[in-house]
């Protein structure tokens, strides 16, 4: 039987993540609820960036999870599982995407989806995770991001029904979360690395203003990226400590 998610559909909102956080604050949120908006006027991205998405063209939604089965130190697995579910969904549509560490979803070098996870912990317990996903579906022109963004429609040459896309993507998320719920982290961890952009490839990276050659050889369960340098040394990076050139 298919999993059922309670969905709130909004025509317009500031940000679905912010909306869901307000529902949590006022005690109105229920486990696994989904807030889906046709338009966000203050969509938020990682690192205080904005997330731009034309009205009624793309998916912008957030999910509330209470991953009590996950220790806060293992929260990166949630990141991996969500990234993989988008990869799975796109693959079902013949779109072969990769995960740019930590969780940008790319086709070639262009971004097709972004993920913003906002966590809350109480001591050593996961209280909740608000998982915000923006997936470019039918938008074809990205004025400020022409060489950086792409949509499903640009790749498939046809419009997609947003409700169906949401439904199928939620199914894919449910399937990946099952692994986490039963503590089967190794499948998630291995699949994440197999779908990682530039995994085991030599490429150029930048720290501060200095470029260097390196090869991604691992991602730690805590999320750090491990890059092998030309001198044989392996360096570990936290998000934003290293830039992909
Ligand atoms: C990123 O790549 O920077 C993350 C983008 C996340 C965007 C989604 S859209 C739905 C949810 N609501 C938000 O305000 N942001 C996330």
């Amino acid at each position: 039987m298919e999993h059922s998610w309670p969905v709130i559909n909004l025509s317009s909102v500031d940000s679905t993540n912010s909306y869901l956080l307000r529902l949590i604050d006022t005690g109105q949120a229920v486990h696994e609820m989904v807030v889906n908006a046709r338009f966000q006027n203050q969509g938020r991205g990682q690192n205080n960036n904005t997330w731009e998405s034309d009205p009624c063209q793309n998916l912008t939604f957030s999910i509330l999870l209470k991953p009590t089965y996950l220790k806060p130190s293992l929260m990166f697995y949630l990141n991996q599982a969500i990234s993989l579910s988008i990869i799975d969904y796109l693959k079902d549509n013949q779109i072969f995407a990769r995960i740019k560490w930590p969780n940008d979803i790319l086709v070639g070098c262009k971004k097709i989806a972004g993920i913003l996870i906002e966590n809350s912990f109480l001591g050593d317990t996961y209280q909740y995770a608000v998982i915000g996903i923006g997936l470019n579906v039918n938008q074809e022109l990205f004025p400020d991001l022409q060489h950086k963004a792409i949509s499903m429609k640009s790749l498939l040459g046809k419009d997609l029904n947003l409700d169906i896309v949401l439904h199928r993507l939620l199914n894919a998320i449910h399937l990946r979360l099952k692994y986490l719920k039963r503590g089967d982290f190794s499948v998630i961890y291995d699949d994440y690395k197999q779908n990682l952009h530039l995994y085991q490839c030599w490429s150029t990276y930048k720290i501060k203003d200095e470029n260097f050659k390196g090869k991604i050889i691992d991602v730690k369960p805590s999320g750090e990226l491990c890059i092998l340098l030309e001198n044989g040394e392996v360096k570990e990076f936290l998000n934003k400590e290293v830039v992909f050139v």
Side-chain angles (χ1 to χ4, degrees), residues 35-243:
V35 175
N36 176 42
R38 288 291 184 240
F39 180 58
Q40 298 185 124
N41 51 43
Q42 286 173 53
R44 298 193 282 114
Q46 294 163 30
N47 309 302
N48 287 326
N49 286 323
T50 55
W51 181 259
E52 306 295 338
S53 177
D54 282 357
C56 304
Q57 298 297 303
N58 303 313
L59 274 190
T60 48
F61 68 100
S62 304
I63 307 172
L64 170 62
L65 291 184
K66 299 195 177 182
T68 41
Y69 44 83
L70 212 55
K71 287 235 164 290
S73 58
L74 300 179
M75 67 178 172
F76 193 66
Y77 284 118
L78 183 59
N79 226 301
Q80 295 181 325
I82 298 295
S83 304
L84 284 169
S85 55
I86 301 175
I87 296 285
D88 295 342
Y89 167 71
L90 291 172
K91 204 176 280 172
D92 287 344
N93 287 278
Q94 301 301 310
I95 294 175
F96 301 96
R98 310 284 291 168
I99 305 163
K100 182 177 166 198
W101 176 85
N103 58 9
D104 283 345
I105 309 298
L106 303 185
V107 176
C109 287
K110 296 186 179 184
K111 190 154 157 172
I112 192 162
I115 302 166
L116 175 66
I117 302 185
E118 298 183 284
N119 293 305
S120 168
F121 305 110
L122 193 61
D124 201 26
T125 318
Y126 225 127
Q127 271 209 305
Y128 62 77
V130 169
I131 299 166
I133 298 178
L135 172 65
N136 297 333
V137 182
N138 290 325
Q139 184 171 338
E140 286 186 289
L141 297 175
F142 297 88
D144 300 329
L145 301 166
Q146 205 48 46
H147 302 290
K148 292 189 177 165
I150 197 158
S151 68
M152 295 182 72
K153 182 175 180 182
S154 322
L155 293 160
L156 300 174
K158 60 172 187 194
D159 264 307
L160 289 107
N161 176 306
L162 292 178
D163 295 328
I164 296 177
V165 175
L166 176 63
H167 178 80
R168 298 203 171 139
L169 182 52
L170 288 172
N171 277 345
I173 291 171
H174 175 65
L175 291 178
R176 282 293 179 177
L177 289 178
K178 272 185 169 176
Y179 289 99
L180 294 190
K181 285 183 190 160
R182 58 176 186 245
D184 196 352
F185 301 128
S186 60
V187 173
I188 297 290
Y189 185 59
D190 291 346
D191 286 357
Y192 179 85
K193 284 196 285 186
Q194 290 316 316
N195 285 282
L196 198 59
H197 175 61
L198 294 176
Y199 181 55
Q200 296 293 3
C201 298
W202 287 98
S203 187
T204 306
Y205 299 89
K206 187 161 83 177
I207 314 177
K208 298 194 177 104
D209 279 332
E210 206 177 315
N211 281 6
F212 65 95
K213 285 232 158 16
K215 180 163 79 170
I216 298 174
I217 54 161
D218 206 358
V219 177
K220 297 189 80 176
S222 41
E224 290 91 342
L225 186 70
C226 306
I227 299 185
L228 171 69
L229 309 184
E230 283 180 306
N231 65 7
E233 191 189 340
V234 176
K235 280 205 164 204
E236 291 175 11
F237 297 97
L238 292 168
N239 194 8
K240 292 296 147 195
E241 279 182 353
V242 63
V243 173

